[in-house]
PDB file of all heavy atoms in Angstrom:
ATOM      1  N   ASN A   1       1.218   1.703  10.278  1.00 86.00           N
ATOM      2  CA  ASN A   1       2.126   0.974  10.963  1.00 86.00           C
ATOM      3  C   ASN A   1       1.776   0.388  12.268  1.00 86.00           C
ATOM      4  O   ASN A   1       2.032  -0.788  12.595  1.00 86.00           O
ATOM      5  CB  ASN A   1       3.367   1.862  11.190  1.00 86.00           C
ATOM      6  CG  ASN A   1       4.060   2.314   9.955  1.00 86.00           C
ATOM      7  OD1 ASN A   1       4.069   1.465   9.052  1.00 86.00           O
ATOM      8  ND2 ASN A   1       4.827   3.459   9.909  1.00 86.00           N
ATOM      9  N   ASP A   2       0.760   1.003  12.993  1.00 88.00           N
ATOM     10  CA  ASP A   2       0.389   0.443  14.243  1.00 88.00           C
ATOM     11  C   ASP A   2      -0.537  -0.859  14.081  1.00 88.00           C
ATOM     12  O   ASP A   2      -0.614  -1.634  14.988  1.00 88.00           O
ATOM     13  CB  ASP A   2      -0.483   1.512  15.088  1.00 88.00           C
ATOM     14  CG  ASP A   2       0.409   2.492  15.542  1.00 88.00           C
ATOM     15  OD1 ASP A   2       1.645   2.476  15.583  1.00 88.00           O
ATOM     16  OD2 ASP A   2      -0.146   3.676  15.846  1.00 88.00           O
ATOM     17  N   TYR A   3      -1.207  -0.829  12.915  1.00 90.00           N
ATOM     18  CA  TYR A   3      -2.259  -1.987  12.827  1.00 90.00           C
ATOM     19  C   TYR A   3      -2.112  -2.775  11.458  1.00 90.00           C
ATOM     20  O   TYR A   3      -3.014  -3.618  11.189  1.00 90.00           O
ATOM     21  CB  TYR A   3      -3.634  -1.229  12.829  1.00 90.00           C
ATOM     22  CG  TYR A   3      -3.963  -0.624  14.039  1.00 90.00           C
ATOM     23  CD1 TYR A   3      -3.835   0.825  13.992  1.00 90.00           C
ATOM     24  CD2 TYR A   3      -4.258  -1.233  15.162  1.00 90.00           C
ATOM     25  CE1 TYR A   3      -4.071   1.595  15.107  1.00 90.00           C
ATOM     26  CE2 TYR A   3      -4.579  -0.482  16.257  1.00 90.00           C
ATOM     27  CZ  TYR A   3      -4.515   0.957  16.290  1.00 90.00           C
ATOM     28  OH  TYR A   3      -4.700   1.639  17.400  1.00 90.00           O
ATOM     29  N   LYS A   4      -0.976  -2.730  10.864  1.00 87.00           N
ATOM     30  CA  LYS A   4      -0.773  -3.375   9.575  1.00 87.00           C
ATOM     31  C   LYS A   4      -0.960  -4.927   9.583  1.00 87.00           C
ATOM     32  O   LYS A   4      -1.408  -5.430   8.549  1.00 87.00           O
ATOM     33  CB  LYS A   4       0.629  -3.020   8.922  1.00 87.00           C
ATOM     34  CG  LYS A   4       1.810  -3.763   9.631  1.00 87.00           C
ATOM     35  CD  LYS A   4       3.223  -3.526   8.949  1.00 87.00           C
ATOM     36  CE  LYS A   4       3.307  -2.591   7.846  1.00 87.00           C
ATOM     37  NZ  LYS A   4       4.534  -2.374   7.263  1.00 87.00           N
ATOM     38  N   ASP A   5      -0.776  -5.565  10.724  1.00 90.00           N
ATOM     39  CA  ASP A   5      -0.970  -6.913  10.833  1.00 90.00           C
ATOM     40  C   ASP A   5      -2.518  -7.266  10.998  1.00 90.00           C
ATOM     41  O   ASP A   5      -3.009  -8.466  10.997  1.00 90.00           O
ATOM     42  CB  ASP A   5      -0.185  -7.572  11.891  1.00 90.00           C
ATOM     43  CG  ASP A   5      -0.447  -7.058  13.353  1.00 90.00           C
ATOM     44  OD1 ASP A   5      -0.880  -5.808  13.347  1.00 90.00           O
ATOM     45  OD2 ASP A   5      -0.326  -7.806  14.261  1.00 90.00           O
ATOM     46  N   LYS A   6      -3.323  -6.325  11.048  1.00 92.00           N
ATOM     47  CA  LYS A   6      -4.792  -6.529  11.417  1.00 92.00           C
ATOM     48  C   LYS A   6      -5.562  -5.773  10.219  1.00 92.00           C
ATOM     49  O   LYS A   6      -6.896  -5.972  10.305  1.00 92.00           O
ATOM     50  CB  LYS A   6      -5.267  -5.901  12.651  1.00 92.00           C
ATOM     51  CG  LYS A   6      -4.474  -6.346  13.926  1.00 92.00           C
ATOM     52  CD  LYS A   6      -4.982  -5.705  15.123  1.00 92.00           C
ATOM     53  CE  LYS A   6      -4.286  -6.331  16.393  1.00 92.00           C
ATOM     54  NZ  LYS A   6      -4.669  -5.713  17.577  1.00 92.00           N
ATOM     55  N   ILE A   7      -5.017  -5.334   9.155  1.00 93.00           N
ATOM     56  CA  ILE A   7      -5.688  -4.616   8.109  1.00 93.00           C
ATOM     57  C   ILE A   7      -5.593  -5.503   6.862  1.00 93.00           C
ATOM     58  O   ILE A   7      -4.681  -6.032   6.551  1.00 93.00           O
ATOM     59  CB  ILE A   7      -5.001  -3.400   7.820  1.00 93.00           C
ATOM     60  CG1 ILE A   7      -4.979  -2.433   9.055  1.00 93.00           C
ATOM     61  CG2 ILE A   7      -5.570  -2.646   6.600  1.00 93.00           C
ATOM     62  CD1 ILE A   7      -4.090  -1.188   8.881  1.00 93.00           C
ATOM     63  N   ILE A   8      -6.803  -5.530   6.125  1.00 95.00           N
ATOM     64  CA  ILE A   8      -6.832  -5.867   4.736  1.00 95.00           C
ATOM     65  C   ILE A   8      -7.495  -4.904   4.010  1.00 95.00           C
ATOM     66  O   ILE A   8      -8.455  -4.026   4.465  1.00 95.00           O
ATOM     67  CB  ILE A   8      -7.580  -7.222   4.515  1.00 95.00           C
ATOM     68  CG1 ILE A   8      -8.987  -7.204   4.906  1.00 95.00           C
ATOM     69  CG2 ILE A   8      -6.798  -8.312   5.126  1.00 95.00           C
ATOM     70  CD1 ILE A   8      -9.807  -8.386   4.441  1.00 95.00           C
ATOM     71  N   PHE A   9      -7.059  -4.573   2.725  1.00 96.00           N
ATOM     72  CA  PHE A   9      -7.703  -3.668   1.761  1.00 96.00           C
ATOM     73  C   PHE A   9      -8.479  -4.291   0.873  1.00 96.00           C
ATOM     74  O   PHE A   9      -8.233  -5.329   0.311  1.00 96.00           O
ATOM     75  CB  PHE A   9      -6.504  -2.929   1.077  1.00 96.00           C
ATOM     76  CG  PHE A   9      -6.948  -1.789   0.224  1.00 96.00           C
ATOM     77  CD1 PHE A   9      -6.838  -0.508   0.754  1.00 96.00           C
ATOM     78  CD2 PHE A   9      -7.444  -1.928  -1.031  1.00 96.00           C
ATOM     79  CE1 PHE A   9      -7.247   0.522   0.075  1.00 96.00           C
ATOM     80  CE2 PHE A   9      -7.833  -0.893  -1.856  1.00 96.00           C
ATOM     81  CZ  PHE A   9      -7.690   0.342  -1.288  1.00 96.00           C
ATOM     82  N   VAL A  10      -9.703  -3.838   0.714  1.00 95.00           N
ATOM     83  CA  VAL A  10     -10.578  -4.142  -0.493  1.00 95.00           C
ATOM     84  C   VAL A  10     -10.846  -3.049  -1.297  1.00 95.00           C
ATOM     85  O   VAL A  10     -10.722  -1.817  -1.027  1.00 95.00           O
ATOM     86  CB  VAL A  10     -12.054  -4.700   0.084  1.00 95.00           C
ATOM     87  CG1 VAL A  10     -11.837  -5.859   1.015  1.00 95.00           C
ATOM     88  CG2 VAL A  10     -12.645  -3.530   0.916  1.00 95.00           C
ATOM     89  N   GLY A  11     -11.009  -3.290  -2.581  1.00 91.00           N
ATOM     90  CA  GLY A  11     -11.173  -2.265  -3.640  1.00 91.00           C
ATOM     91  C   GLY A  11     -10.481  -2.858  -4.963  1.00 91.00           C
ATOM     92  O   GLY A  11     -10.056  -3.956  -5.007  1.00 91.00           O
ATOM     93  N   SER A  12     -10.329  -1.982  -5.863  1.00 92.00           N
ATOM     94  CA  SER A  12      -9.527  -2.507  -7.105  1.00 92.00           C
ATOM     95  C   SER A  12      -8.121  -2.552  -6.851  1.00 92.00           C
ATOM     96  O   SER A  12      -7.491  -1.929  -5.913  1.00 92.00           O
ATOM     97  CB  SER A  12      -9.949  -1.470  -8.258  1.00 92.00           C
ATOM     98  OG  SER A  12      -9.269  -0.137  -8.077  1.00 92.00           O
ATOM     99  N   PRO A  13      -7.441  -3.251  -7.615  1.00 95.00           N
ATOM    100  CA  PRO A  13      -5.959  -3.483  -7.631  1.00 95.00           C
ATOM    101  C   PRO A  13      -5.333  -1.970  -7.884  1.00 95.00           C
ATOM    102  O   PRO A  13      -4.286  -1.760  -7.103  1.00 95.00           O
ATOM    103  CB  PRO A  13      -5.547  -4.358  -8.800  1.00 95.00           C
ATOM    104  CG  PRO A  13      -6.784  -5.137  -9.077  1.00 95.00           C
ATOM    105  CD  PRO A  13      -7.945  -4.192  -8.801  1.00 95.00           C
ATOM    106  N   GLU A  14      -5.900  -1.135  -8.593  1.00 96.00           N
ATOM    107  CA  GLU A  14      -5.375   0.220  -8.853  1.00 96.00           C
ATOM    108  C   GLU A  14      -5.532   1.029  -7.560  1.00 96.00           C
ATOM    109  O   GLU A  14      -4.641   1.691  -7.017  1.00 96.00           O
ATOM    110  CB  GLU A  14      -6.066   0.937  -9.986  1.00 96.00           C
ATOM    111  CG  GLU A  14      -5.746   0.296 -11.253  1.00 96.00           C
ATOM    112  CD  GLU A  14      -6.703  -0.818 -11.529  1.00 96.00           C
ATOM    113  OE1 GLU A  14      -7.735  -1.185 -10.826  1.00 96.00           O
ATOM    114  OE2 GLU A  14      -6.378  -1.696 -12.531  1.00 96.00           O
ATOM    115  N   GLU A  15      -6.650   0.894  -6.788  1.00 94.00           N
ATOM    116  CA  GLU A  15      -6.925   1.616  -5.637  1.00 94.00           C
ATOM    117  C   GLU A  15      -5.914   1.101  -4.536  1.00 94.00           C
ATOM    118  O   GLU A  15      -5.346   1.937  -3.755  1.00 94.00           O
ATOM    119  CB  GLU A  15      -8.278   1.449  -5.157  1.00 94.00           C
ATOM    120  CG  GLU A  15      -9.377   2.132  -5.985  1.00 94.00           C
ATOM    121  CD  GLU A  15     -10.750   1.727  -5.565  1.00 94.00           C
ATOM    122  OE1 GLU A  15     -10.954   0.618  -5.260  1.00 94.00           O
ATOM    123  OE2 GLU A  15     -11.636   2.634  -5.622  1.00 94.00           O
ATOM    124  N   HIS A  16      -5.649  -0.185  -4.547  1.00 95.00           N
ATOM    125  CA  HIS A  16      -4.752  -0.722  -3.552  1.00 95.00           C
ATOM    126  C   HIS A  16      -3.275  -0.185  -3.762  1.00 95.00           C
ATOM    127  O   HIS A  16      -2.658   0.195  -2.790  1.00 95.00           O
ATOM    128  CB  HIS A  16      -4.699  -2.302  -3.572  1.00 95.00           C
ATOM    129  CG  HIS A  16      -3.754  -2.909  -2.653  1.00 95.00           C
ATOM    130  ND1 HIS A  16      -2.565  -3.495  -3.115  1.00 95.00           N
ATOM    131  CD2 HIS A  16      -3.650  -2.878  -1.276  1.00 95.00           C
ATOM    132  CE1 HIS A  16      -1.877  -3.954  -2.029  1.00 95.00           C
ATOM    133  NE2 HIS A  16      -2.551  -3.436  -0.967  1.00 95.00           N
ATOM    134  N   LYS A  17      -2.814  -0.178  -5.003  1.00 97.00           N
ATOM    135  CA  LYS A  17      -1.486   0.402  -5.382  1.00 97.00           C
ATOM    136  C   LYS A  17      -1.464   1.747  -4.881  1.00 97.00           C
ATOM    137  O   LYS A  17      -0.491   2.119  -4.324  1.00 97.00           O
ATOM    138  CB  LYS A  17      -1.299   0.230  -6.859  1.00 97.00           C
ATOM    139  CG  LYS A  17       0.158   0.657  -7.257  1.00 97.00           C
ATOM    140  CD  LYS A  17       0.409   0.599  -8.523  1.00 97.00           C
ATOM    141  CE  LYS A  17       1.861   1.102  -8.903  1.00 97.00           C
ATOM    142  NZ  LYS A  17       2.508   2.173  -8.212  1.00 97.00           N
ATOM    143  N   LEU A  18      -2.366   2.588  -5.099  1.00 95.00           N
ATOM    144  CA  LEU A  18      -2.469   4.069  -4.906  1.00 95.00           C
ATOM    145  C   LEU A  18      -2.397   4.126  -3.340  1.00 95.00           C
ATOM    146  O   LEU A  18      -1.533   4.911  -2.686  1.00 95.00           O
ATOM    147  CB  LEU A  18      -3.611   4.781  -5.314  1.00 95.00           C
ATOM    148  CG  LEU A  18      -3.679   6.243  -5.217  1.00 95.00           C
ATOM    149  CD1 LEU A  18      -2.555   7.025  -5.720  1.00 95.00           C
ATOM    150  CD2 LEU A  18      -4.983   6.783  -5.718  1.00 95.00           C
ATOM    151  N   PHE A  19      -3.182   3.442  -2.639  1.00 93.00           N
ATOM    152  CA  PHE A  19      -3.087   3.357  -1.112  1.00 93.00           C
ATOM    153  C   PHE A  19      -1.699   3.037  -0.756  1.00 93.00           C
ATOM    154  O   PHE A  19      -1.173   3.686   0.209  1.00 93.00           O
ATOM    155  CB  PHE A  19      -4.151   2.352  -0.657  1.00 93.00           C
ATOM    156  CG  PHE A  19      -4.283   2.472   0.937  1.00 93.00           C
ATOM    157  CD1 PHE A  19      -5.091   3.300   1.523  1.00 93.00           C
ATOM    158  CD2 PHE A  19      -3.539   1.520   1.646  1.00 93.00           C
ATOM    159  CE1 PHE A  19      -5.229   3.325   2.939  1.00 93.00           C
ATOM    160  CE2 PHE A  19      -3.597   1.529   3.034  1.00 93.00           C
ATOM    161  CZ  PHE A  19      -4.482   2.401   3.776  1.00 93.00           C
ATOM    162  N   VAL A  20      -1.045   1.912  -1.036  1.00 95.00           N
ATOM    163  CA  VAL A  20       0.196   1.548  -0.609  1.00 95.00           C
ATOM    164  C   VAL A  20       1.230   2.610  -0.938  1.00 95.00           C
ATOM    165  O   VAL A  20       2.064   2.963  -0.141  1.00 95.00           O
ATOM    166  CB  VAL A  20       0.577   0.201  -1.238  1.00 95.00           C
ATOM    167  CG1 VAL A  20       1.961  -0.194  -0.963  1.00 95.00           C
ATOM    168  CG2 VAL A  20      -0.337  -0.875  -0.674  1.00 95.00           C
ATOM    169  N   ASP A  21       1.060   3.254  -2.188  1.00 96.00           N
ATOM    170  CA  ASP A  21       2.185   4.239  -2.492  1.00 96.00           C
ATOM    171  C   ASP A  21       2.013   5.577  -1.547  1.00 96.00           C
ATOM    172  O   ASP A  21       2.908   6.022  -1.131  1.00 96.00           O
ATOM    173  CB  ASP A  21       1.905   4.635  -3.907  1.00 96.00           C
ATOM    174  CG  ASP A  21       2.412   3.505  -4.986  1.00 96.00           C
ATOM    175  OD1 ASP A  21       2.878   2.705  -4.600  1.00 96.00           O
ATOM    176  OD2 ASP A  21       1.899   3.854  -6.143  1.00 96.00           O
ATOM    177  N   ILE A  22       0.855   5.731  -1.009  1.00 93.00           N
ATOM    178  CA  ILE A  22       0.578   6.955  -0.156  1.00 93.00           C
ATOM    179  C   ILE A  22       0.727   6.600   1.206  1.00 93.00           C
ATOM    180  O   ILE A  22       1.371   7.414   2.042  1.00 93.00           O
ATOM    181  CB  ILE A  22      -0.768   7.648  -0.521  1.00 93.00           C
ATOM    182  CG1 ILE A  22      -0.713   8.181  -1.909  1.00 93.00           C
ATOM    183  CG2 ILE A  22      -1.137   8.764   0.449  1.00 93.00           C
ATOM    184  CD1 ILE A  22      -2.247   8.593  -2.395  1.00 93.00           C
ATOM    185  N   VAL A  23       0.156   5.517   1.628  1.00 91.00           N
ATOM    186  CA  VAL A  23      -0.040   5.305   3.106  1.00 91.00           C
ATOM    187  C   VAL A  23       1.022   4.122   3.678  1.00 91.00           C
ATOM    188  O   VAL A  23       1.473   4.264   4.752  1.00 91.00           O
ATOM    189  CB  VAL A  23      -1.368   4.900   3.434  1.00 91.00           C
ATOM    190  CG1 VAL A  23      -1.694   4.672   4.934  1.00 91.00           C
ATOM    191  CG2 VAL A  23      -2.476   5.964   2.925  1.00 91.00           C
ATOM    192  N   GLY A  24       1.139   3.227   2.848  1.00 92.00           N
ATOM    193  CA  GLY A  24       1.994   2.129   3.284  1.00 92.00           C
ATOM    194  C   GLY A  24       1.364   0.796   3.000  1.00 92.00           C
ATOM    195  O   GLY A  24       0.370   0.656   2.569  1.00 92.00           O
ATOM    196  N   GLU A  25       2.298  -0.320   3.057  1.00 94.00           N
ATOM    197  CA  GLU A  25       1.966  -1.586   2.735  1.00 94.00           C
ATOM    198  C   GLU A  25       0.871  -2.179   3.623  1.00 94.00           C
ATOM    199  O   GLU A  25       1.054  -2.131   4.952  1.00 94.00           O
ATOM    200  CB  GLU A  25       3.136  -2.457   2.690  1.00 94.00           C
ATOM    201  CG  GLU A  25       3.051  -3.791   2.149  1.00 94.00           C
ATOM    202  CD  GLU A  25       2.581  -3.934   0.615  1.00 94.00           C
ATOM    203  OE1 GLU A  25       3.097  -3.096  -0.136  1.00 94.00           O
ATOM    204  OE2 GLU A  25       1.602  -4.756   0.254  1.00 94.00           O
ATOM    205  N   VAL A  26      -0.119  -2.731   3.020  1.00 95.00           N
ATOM    206  CA  VAL A  26      -1.184  -3.578   3.713  1.00 95.00           C
ATOM    207  C   VAL A  26      -1.716  -4.685   2.776  1.00 95.00           C
ATOM    208  O   VAL A  26      -1.434  -4.568   1.654  1.00 95.00           O
ATOM    209  CB  VAL A  26      -2.391  -2.689   4.178  1.00 95.00           C
ATOM    210  CG1 VAL A  26      -2.010  -1.632   5.121  1.00 95.00           C
ATOM    211  CG2 VAL A  26      -3.196  -2.187   2.982  1.00 95.00           C
ATOM    212  N   ASP A  27      -2.032  -5.796   3.515  1.00 96.00           N
ATOM    213  CA  ASP A  27      -2.475  -6.927   2.630  1.00 96.00           C
ATOM    214  C   ASP A  27      -3.757  -6.508   1.741  1.00 96.00           C
ATOM    215  O   ASP A  27      -4.452  -5.638   2.263  1.00 96.00           O
ATOM    216  CB  ASP A  27      -2.920  -8.092   3.531  1.00 96.00           C
ATOM    217  CG  ASP A  27      -1.710  -8.754   4.175  1.00 96.00           C
ATOM    218  OD1 ASP A  27      -0.542  -8.694   3.659  1.00 96.00           O
ATOM    219  OD2 ASP A  27      -1.853  -9.443   5.208  1.00 96.00           O
ATOM    220  N   TYR A  28      -3.782  -7.156   0.606  1.00 97.00           N
ATOM    221  CA  TYR A  28      -4.928  -6.826  -0.265  1.00 97.00           C
ATOM    222  C   TYR A  28      -5.779  -8.183  -0.391  1.00 97.00           C
ATOM    223  O   TYR A  28      -5.243  -9.212  -0.641  1.00 97.00           O
ATOM    224  CB  TYR A  28      -4.324  -6.353  -1.641  1.00 97.00           C
ATOM    225  CG  TYR A  28      -5.331  -6.190  -2.660  1.00 97.00           C
ATOM    226  CD1 TYR A  28      -6.467  -5.398  -2.476  1.00 97.00           C
ATOM    227  CD2 TYR A  28      -5.263  -6.916  -3.788  1.00 97.00           C
ATOM    228  CE1 TYR A  28      -7.358  -5.187  -3.539  1.00 97.00           C
ATOM    229  CE2 TYR A  28      -6.222  -6.827  -4.804  1.00 97.00           C
ATOM    230  CZ  TYR A  28      -7.238  -5.988  -4.717  1.00 97.00           C
ATOM    231  OH  TYR A  28      -8.290  -5.702  -5.783  1.00 97.00           O
ATOM    232  N   TYR A  29      -7.059  -8.038  -0.383  1.00 96.00           N
ATOM    233  CA  TYR A  29      -8.047  -9.064  -0.509  1.00 96.00           C
ATOM    234  C   TYR A  29      -8.908  -8.733  -1.805  1.00 96.00           C
ATOM    235  O   TYR A  29      -9.739  -7.870  -1.509  1.00 96.00           O
ATOM    236  CB  TYR A  29      -8.884  -9.370   0.599  1.00 96.00           C
ATOM    237  CG  TYR A  29      -9.641 -10.607   0.625  1.00 96.00           C
ATOM    238  CD1 TYR A  29      -9.094 -11.749   1.054  1.00 96.00           C
ATOM    239  CD2 TYR A  29     -10.973 -10.618  -0.017  1.00 96.00           C
ATOM    240  CE1 TYR A  29      -9.780 -12.942   0.905  1.00 96.00           C
ATOM    241  CE2 TYR A  29     -11.641 -11.800  -0.118  1.00 96.00           C
ATOM    242  CZ  TYR A  29     -11.010 -12.884   0.392  1.00 96.00           C
ATOM    243  OH  TYR A  29     -11.748 -14.192   0.260  1.00 96.00           O
TER     244      TYR A  29
END
């Protein structure tokens, strides 16, 4: 929440979904 506008996630789409489900929404590249 403190840095969501400065974060991008790299990895597989499945890893991104898991991350978002656990930690919160971040942009995916």
Side-chain angles (χ1 to χ4, degrees):
N1 289 333
D2 290 346
Y3 302 101
K4 70 176 4 177
D5 61 328
K6 297 178 181 183
I7 297 172
I8 61 168
F9 186 95
V10 295
S12 71
E14 295 81 16
E15 290 169 324
H16 177 249
K17 182 183 180 327
L18 182 61
F19 182 89
V20 167
D21 289 347
I22 294 170
V23 180
E25 187 64 43
V26 297
D27 288 337
Y28 175 58
Y29 190 91

